[in-house]
Amino acid sequence: MNFMNWKDNGAGSLSRLFVVKKQTLYLLLIIFVLFTIYTEIPLYLSDTFFIPSFLTVFSIPFLFVICRKNIYKSDVSFLLKITGVLFLSAVLSPGKAYIGQKFIGILQTTVSITGGVLIFKLLEPLQKEKLKKMLFILVIALIIGSLLEVAGLIKGLSDAFRNAVYTGEYKVYENELRDIALAGFSRPKLFTSEPSLLAIGFFVVLNSWLMLDLRRTNFLLAVFATLCMLYITGSPVLIISLFVSFIMIFMRIRRTINRIYIILFCTASLAFVIMLLYLTTDLLSFFLTRWQASVRHSGTYNITSENLRMVFPYLTLIDVMRTSPLFGTGISGKELLDVYSTLPISAEQAFGNNNFAAFFIYLGTIGAVTFIYVFKKYLVRKGVKNLLLLLIIIAGLSQSMGAFESPRFWGYIFLIIGVNFKASEESPENLKNEFRAAN
């Protein structure tokens, strides 16, 4: 009897050890993949041909091997359908002379979405608490790293890294004089090519953590952390992040508390934000100066980050909808903007850095609706809930970044999808049974 107990205890200990090691492996893999997405280091094979985020791309086969037991027919079917939608957008849209470029766009986007699906697969078996701790640590790491760079302690290391890995089309932000004139100090990049990419990474990680543990105290902590990073980086991206955080807490309390409490809570939260902004007058002056610079010369189409993100893409979208409303320009059909866009600027500048607008520019109404339908059907089948919240977060993220075809964009999206899935998780056993039944 004692021998049997020893065998049972030993087997149980080995089983628990295996689970712990597997959880640790998955966490390390997610951290590694997030680092590759965050930095998006390119590999140049020639002066003109390069692989964006090559570490992410090269890791896809290894992730597939690790996640192979969690990959189902529905995952493969989803990827094939998405590729089909992109293919139709390429062949049915105008500009047959650019079909080669569009096929490259299909390949890039399909590879990026495949990588995103594998990130989702890494998140599925993770324990919710472990994922929450990991994301919180990453939030703290980004804040501390940014402060250390502003203080000059790791600035040399960060600059050396980005000057070494970002070449060619990956232009390194070097407008130090502009930073000092507007913000009073050199804004941190923290191993990325520009401050806005640091802000985007913070946006994704912070709101993912908040989604996993959406409490009032965590919300206030997230608001404070966002305002700190807003002051440090001076990136308007974090204003969108702040808005997303407010939407999340509003949707949470709306389900459980009466309207009077909602009004009081939102008023108190807004007063808290205004108070912090008032105390940081330099931050208000910084954004006022940027806004004035963007608006003052709007008649001459001043090339500012605000115009490239929030003005030019939507003006271009209007032009495309007038001329090719059904299938847009086709995936990666930027060259057609030389014909479609009425803006007196280059096609690249007219396209801008806004993936929400890019989605409709590339796919048009029919392509976009079909893409959304395929995506939604896949998420519902996988048991992803709170689709409205998910849509709001993805829409907010899309306003802040470009490169629709990139592993960075789709990696972040599927991280948010995976976190959304874990946030609504109730019982691991029940979810596992439901997941298997759905597949």
Side-chain angles (χ1 to χ4, degrees):
M1 187 69 177
N2 291 335
F3 177 71
M4 292 296 293
N5 286 336
W6 177 84
K7 285 178 65 179
D8 292 341
N9 292 335
S13 298
L14 287 175
S15 177
R16 285 191 296 272
L17 180 62
F18 175 77
V19 171
V20 170
K21 286 189 175 182
K22 188 176 181 180
Q23 291 282 314
T24 302
L25 173 64
Y26 276 56
L27 279 173
L28 291 175
L29 284 172
I30 290 172
I31 292 172
F32 170 75
V33 174
L34 287 180
F35 174 77
T36 68
I37 292 169
Y38 170 76
T39 55
E40 201 177 57
I41 302 172
L43 175 64
Y44 277 84
L45 302 177
S46 67
D47 291 339
T48 57
F49 181 72
F50 67 96
I51 301 175
S53 194
F54 82 97
L55 289 174
T56 310
V57 174
F58 287 177
S59 66
I60 287 177
F62 300 100
L63 295 178
F64 178 81
V65 171
I66 292 170
C67 300
R68 64 188 184 280
K69 293 183 179 179
N70 293 332
I71 297 174
Y72 298 87
K73 289 181 180 179
S74 57
D75 301 308
V76 178
S77 174
F78 165 71
L79 292 172
L80 291 175
K81 289 176 182 177
I82 286 294
T83 303
V85 174
L86 297 176
F87 177 80
L88 289 176
S89 79
V91 298
L92 297 179
S93 60
K96 297 300 184 289
Y98 304 109
I99 195 68
Q101 181 63 34
K102 293 180 181 182
F103 281 169
I104 293 175
I106 293 172
L107 177 62
Q108 290 175 329
T109 309
T110 300
V111 169
S112 297
I113 294 178
T114 301
V117 170
L118 291 173
I119 291 174
F120 181 36
K121 294 298 170 181
L122 283 177
L123 291 171
E124 278 181 346
L126 266 181
Q127 295 175 5
K128 183 177 176 180
E129 287 300 314
K130 290 185 180 294
L131 179 59
K132 183 173 67 176
K133 289 178 182 178
M134 182 203 75
L135 290 171
F136 183 74
I137 291 171
L138 291 179
V139 169
I140 299 301
L142 289 176
I143 295 175
I144 293 176
S146 300
L147 289 172
L148 290 176
E149 185 168 336
V150 169
L153 297 178
I154 63 170
K155 187 178 187 304
L157 181 62
S158 177
D159 288 346
F161 174 83
R162 62 198 192 92
N163 287 324
V165 301
Y166 300 118
T167 56
E169 293 188 17
Y170 282 73
K171 297 176 182 178
V172 175
Y173 179 90
E174 294 179 340
N175 205 340
E176 304 289 341
L177 294 178
R178 177 174 177 268
D179 283 354
I180 294 172
L182 294 176
F185 53 84
S186 175
R187 295 187 294 157
K189 296 84 183 174
L190 200 61
F191 306 105
T192 62
S193 57
E194 58 180 278
S196 63
L197 296 178
L198 164 60
I200 290 168
F202 182 82
F203 172 171
V204 173
V205 174
L206 177 83
N207 284 293
S208 295
W209 166 75
L210 183 60
M211 198 189 316
L212 280 176
D213 196 4
L214 193 52
R215 294 179 292 171
R216 285 168 291 176
T217 52
N218 286 351
F219 166 73
L220 294 176
L221 182 60
V223 168
F224 179 76
T226 304
L227 290 174
C228 289
M229 284 295 285
L230 187 61
Y231 181 79
I232 297 170
T233 65
S235 175
V237 169
L238 293 174
I239 296 177
I240 300 176
S241 176
L242 200 62
F243 176 76
V244 167
S245 298
F246 267 93
I247 290 292
M248 277 199 286
I249 193 66
F250 177 78
M251 292 181 69
R252 172 64 182 270
I253 62 179
R254 183 184 177 186
R255 293 196 300 265
T256 57
I257 305 176
N258 60 52
R259 292 182 180 180
I260 295 177
Y261 187 88
I262 292 174
I263 294 172
L264 291 175
F265 179 78
C266 290
T267 303
S269 300
L270 184 61
F272 175 72
V273 172
I274 293 173
M275 179 188 70
L276 289 178
L277 286 173
Y278 179 78
L279 293 175
T280 55
T281 54
D282 290 341
L283 183 62
L284 285 173
S285 177
F286 173 74
F287 282 108
L288 182 61
T289 303
R290 290 187 65 167
W291 176 253
Q292 289 174 341
S294 177
V295 174
R296 188 183 301 123
H297 304 291
S298 59
T300 58
Y301 300 97
N302 195 31
I303 309 301
T304 64
S305 59
E306 287 79 11
N307 281 339
L308 288 171
R309 280 193 171 90
M310 301 304 295
V311 180
F312 297 158
Y314 288 108
L315 293 177
T316 300
L317 174 59
I318 293 172
D319 289 334
V320 171
M321 288 295 105
R322 287 171 178 168
T323 51
S324 181
L326 299 182
F327 295 99
T329 64
I331 185 70
S332 299
K334 293 180 185 178
E335 289 82 357
L336 289 173
L337 296 183
D338 285 329
V339 178
Y340 289 166
S341 176
T342 59
L343 295 174
I345 53 180
S346 69
E348 182 179 356
Q349 292 169 339
F351 188 75
N353 296 314
N354 186 312
N355 278 336
F356 188 83
F359 176 63
F360 292 97
I361 290 173
Y362 277 163
L363 301 183
T365 53
I366 292 180
V369 169
T370 307
F371 190 99
I372 292 170
Y373 172 78
V374 172
F375 218 107
K376 179 186 176 183
K377 189 174 180 181
Y378 173 72
L379 295 180
V380 170
R381 187 168 190 178
K382 292 300 164 186
V384 177
K385 301 177 182 178
N386 300 324
L387 294 183
L388 178 59
L389 175 60
L390 187 63
L391 177 63
I392 291 171
I393 298 174
I394 292 176
L397 176 65
S398 299
Q399 305 294 330
S400 66
M401 63 187 302
F404 182 83
E405 306 91 336
S406 70
R408 172 185 280 150
F409 177 62
W410 289 106
Y412 281 154
I413 281 184
F414 275 93
L415 171 67
I416 293 169
I417 290 172
V419 169
N420 181 288
F421 175 78
K422 302 303 291 187
S424 59
E425 195 174 60
E426 297 175 358
S427 169
E429 292 78 10
N430 292 339
L431 280 175
K432 188 175 182 180
N433 293 332
E434 291 175 8
F435 182 75
R436 286 178 174 174
N439 288 277

